[in-house]
Amino acid sequence: MNGVNVQILIGNLGKAADIRYMEGNRGKASFGVATNKSYTNREGQQITNTSWHNVVVWDPSLVDVAQKYCTKGRQVIVEGESTTRSYEDREGNTQYVREVKATKLLPIDQIAQEGKGLHGNFIAGTLVEKPQLQRNDAGESTCQLLFKQEKGHFPVELTGRQAEVATQYLDANSVAYVKYEIVSTEPFKAQGTNLVLLGQPSSARGETKPNTSQAGTQAEPRGNTIEPQGDSSNDLDDLPF
């Protein structure tokens, strides 16, 4: 049985991506992403821990994205495989470096400005309208997130605590990130499994809305690592939108 090795980062670049070209004009981008996690200690103090992650990009199209958008301080979403490589230093000692080999790379401000973000089993983008809380036949809380896309709208259904958080904090033009699974194609239905609130684009209200997450959801606040909750379909070529 094959294992699963997927890591998702939402954080800020410490400096601009380092772009290098190897033999055969093969490009490589590398950069560090900082993720923050905040909590309140027993004394009531707000503590923030910052972790740094090395990211390497080999895919030619993503190297172009890194070269164009990955500047110092920029916030990005990275999905990829966690790897470890080794090398010998000048003293002959073996050193190990842990990296995330990126398979997806999204600058968050470009999501808001261009309405892009549909990439296989997750979507990140702006909402068409404010989600409305309802109850399904089982009595669970549910709502629908309707994302703006170049070829129409992409609906994702949330249930339970995630639906309650979404309806409380998200409005039209809010920016969100959702992992999802396609549960049917006729009619089309995508079920969200992880929700992250990414705020409000500056073009919508003239300021950035703070990111909020509630206990009991699968989401983490902006800048935290999200662990995926399983595989989902990547076959989107024939979907009705």
Side-chain angles (χ1 to χ4, degrees):
M1 179 178 178
N2 292 330
V4 176
N5 180 2
V6 179
Q7 186 167 0
I8 301 172
L9 305 172
I10 301 177
N12 297 82
L13 274 75
K15 61 181 180 180
D18 179 30
I19 310 296
R20 301 187 182 186
Y21 288 92
M22 315 297 176
E23 185 177 350
N25 205 34
R26 185 187 184 194
K28 174 189 176 183
S30 56
F31 51 88
V33 174
T35 60
N36 299 322
K37 185 171 184 178
S38 299
Y39 65 95
T40 302
N41 64 16
R42 294 181 179 178
E43 288 73 35
Q45 298 173 314
Q46 188 75 8
I47 306 296
T48 299
N49 291 333
T50 299
S51 299
W52 284 94
H53 312 267
N54 298 315
V55 178
V56 60
V57 181
W58 290 101
D59 184 292
S61 62
L62 297 185
V63 171
D64 292 341
V65 171
Q67 187 170 34
K68 184 177 181 181
Y69 295 112
C70 287
T71 54
K72 182 178 180 179
R74 203 152 202 170
Q75 191 178 41
V76 295
I77 299 175
V78 176
E79 180 173 337
E81 178 184 5
S82 180
T83 63
T84 303
R85 62 179 175 87
S86 62
Y87 69 94
E88 283 193 2
D89 61 21
R90 294 179 179 179
E91 287 73 35
N93 300 314
T94 301
Q95 303 292 337
Y96 296 90
V97 179
R98 186 178 179 184
E99 299 174 324
V100 176
K101 183 180 178 182
T103 56
K104 297 182 178 71
L105 173 62
L106 285 172
I108 287 178
D109 56 353
Q110 293 303 308
I111 295 171
Q113 293 173 18
E114 300 178 9
K116 296 179 181 178
L118 184 59
H119 290 265
N121 60 351
F122 73 83
I123 183 170
T126 55
L127 300 184
V128 176
E129 60 191 14
K130 178 176 177 61
Q132 301 297 319
L133 189 65
Q134 300 178 355
R135 297 286 178 180
N136 60 21
D137 294 339
E140 298 174 308
S141 300
T142 182
C143 74
Q144 178 176 269
L145 303 185
L146 197 59
F147 287 90
K148 297 177 182 178
Q149 291 296 307
E150 292 179 328
K151 297 181 180 180
H153 299 154
F154 187 86
V156 178
E157 182 181 280
L158 297 176
T159 57
R161 186 60 175 159
Q162 292 187 99
E164 295 170 2
V165 170
T167 54
Q168 183 176 358
Y169 293 104
L170 293 176
D171 297 305
N173 293 316
S174 291
V175 186
Y177 167 102
V178 180
K179 293 280 289 186
Y180 66 86
E181 297 177 355
I182 297 176
V183 295
S184 68
T185 57
E186 292 293 340
F188 175 78
K189 182 178 180 180
Q191 182 69 49
T193 58
N194 297 79
L195 169 68
V196 178
L197 314 183
L198 298 177
Q200 195 83 352
S202 57
S203 58
R205 293 187 176 179
E207 60 182 8
T208 300
K209 180 178 177 181
N211 291 275
T212 314
S213 179
Q214 294 291 316
T217 73
Q218 296 290 343
E220 294 280 357
R222 181 178 65 181
N224 284 354
T225 301
I226 314 164
E227 293 299 331
Q229 302 297 312
D231 297 332
S232 50
S233 174
N234 291 321
D235 187 7
L236 302 175
D237 295 336
D238 300 321
L239 298 183
F241 49 83

